[in-house]
Amino acid sequence: MYLAFMDELMKNELEKWSKMGRIELLTELRRLTFKIIIHIFLGASSTSVMEALEKEYTKLNYGMRALRIDLPGFAFHKAFKARKNLVSIFQNVVNERRKEKLENPNKTTKDMLDQLIDAEDENGRKLADDEVIDIMIMYLNVGHESSGHTTMWATLILQQHPQYFQKAKQEQEEIVKRRPANQKGMTMKEYRQMDFLSKAIDETMRYITFSLMTFREAKRDVKLNGFLIPKGWKVFVCYRAIHQDPQVYPNPRIFDPSRFDKQANQPGSQCFPIQISGWPLELMAYAYLAVSPPSMIARSEEMAAAASNKSTAKKDSRYPEIEEQALCESSISKYNNNL
């Protein structure tokens, strides 16, 4: 349903990047994935609210990673204001959509917002506006933030491992060669043929573990691996500790997509101790980056050098968000040593 849109958008964005000179890869990828997730949730009518949403989500994300200081000027305080602004923006969107549905009850084309408005439980209860807005705020954020970061890290890491980069690139070129002359754009069949690239994405998510942890509350007594988790207890799951555990993943500090060769036909819960489901944005984004023009590849190499502090990066080039991520990685590494 959304493949054609993603296909066209990726082509347009790569063409635009090739003419921009030096770019901040993470910033552009986040904008790209944000456009995709907005289209999925709000459809073609989303252009007018795109810029306002992007601005508020940026403030929200800075606050999620900040100290809990609720005073003017601090990121945490700005994040609260950003969420209020997001609620206001989405309320206007929901109001407009409900009005459209009253005026055109036979509308056949539906995006995710339409699905949420129409959804009802077994008792016929529908979601209230505040519930719809909560879902949208959450999923629009996680849907583009993790995809943008994972695509960036896949790009940088594969540039640092030329043997894997060439294998991924060769796979994409072979798919394009088999494409019928009259076919326009990528198909789901081609998407499913990206065997090695999907393993490289799996390994990227394990290697960098963008989502570091999860908190959950036991709603009832749960027995897990011989242990009892009583009802009401809070559970903290550290994904990074699992993904860097040599008993689970031998030589965890080594980037090796082949570790998933034997797990390719297993359910996700067997491949990952903590289940990870789906990576369509990352896979498509890197599929295009792998066959992008030499000028784009050169910029990716420069970004990789900047991220790893190699001397090939120009002295005056700065990539603030990569430096912020590298600082975060260093802090987390120190934390993991104490686990």
Side-chain angles (χ1 to χ4, degrees), residues 212-259:
L212 303 180
M213 63 194 73
T214 295
F215 296 91
R216 291 292 186 270
E217 179 181 340
K219 295 298 183 182
R220 56 182 173 81
D221 291 350
V222 178
K223 288 185 178 181
L224 181 65
N225 295 334
F227 294 91
L228 173 66
I229 304 175
K231 178 182 177 180
W233 277 37
K234 304 297 190 298
V235 179
F236 163 70
V237 179
C238 182
Y239 298 128
R240 183 176 293 274
I242 297 170
H243 292 164
Q244 295 297 322
D245 187 343
Q247 294 182 352
V248 180
Y249 296 101
N251 301 313
R253 302 289 184 180
I254 296 176
F255 181 83
D256 181 15
S258 67
R259 71 173 75 245

Side-chain angles (χ1 to χ4, degrees), residues 21-64:
R22 184 176 299 167
I23 65 171
E24 289 186 359
L25 183 59
L26 177 58
T27 299
E28 296 303 324
L29 286 172
R30 286 169 67 185
R31 285 174 180 162
L32 168 67
T33 54
F34 192 67
K35 289 177 182 178
I36 293 173
I37 201 71
I38 284 290
H39 179 80
I40 291 172
F41 269 82
L42 303 182
S45 62
S46 60
T47 306
S48 59
V49 297
M50 176 85 68
E51 187 175 336
L53 287 174
E54 184 180 8
K55 179 181 177 181
E56 299 303 334
Y57 268 115
T58 298
K59 296 177 184 177
L60 182 67
N61 277 302
Y62 282 138
M64 291 172 64

Side-chain angles (χ1 to χ4, degrees), residues 165-180 183 186-187 189-191 193-197 287 290-291:
F165 173 79
Q166 289 302 323
K167 192 171 181 178
K169 189 171 186 290
Q170 182 180 357
E171 181 178 69
Q172 301 304 308
E173 291 172 340
E174 290 174 354
I175 291 174
V176 173
K177 287 179 183 178
R178 294 193 296 266
R179 180 177 293 173
Q183 179 181 317
M186 187 184 298
T187 64
K189 181 180 178 181
E190 292 175 336
Y191 173 79
Q193 291 172 352
M194 300 177 189
D195 179 65
F196 177 76
L197 186 55
V291 293

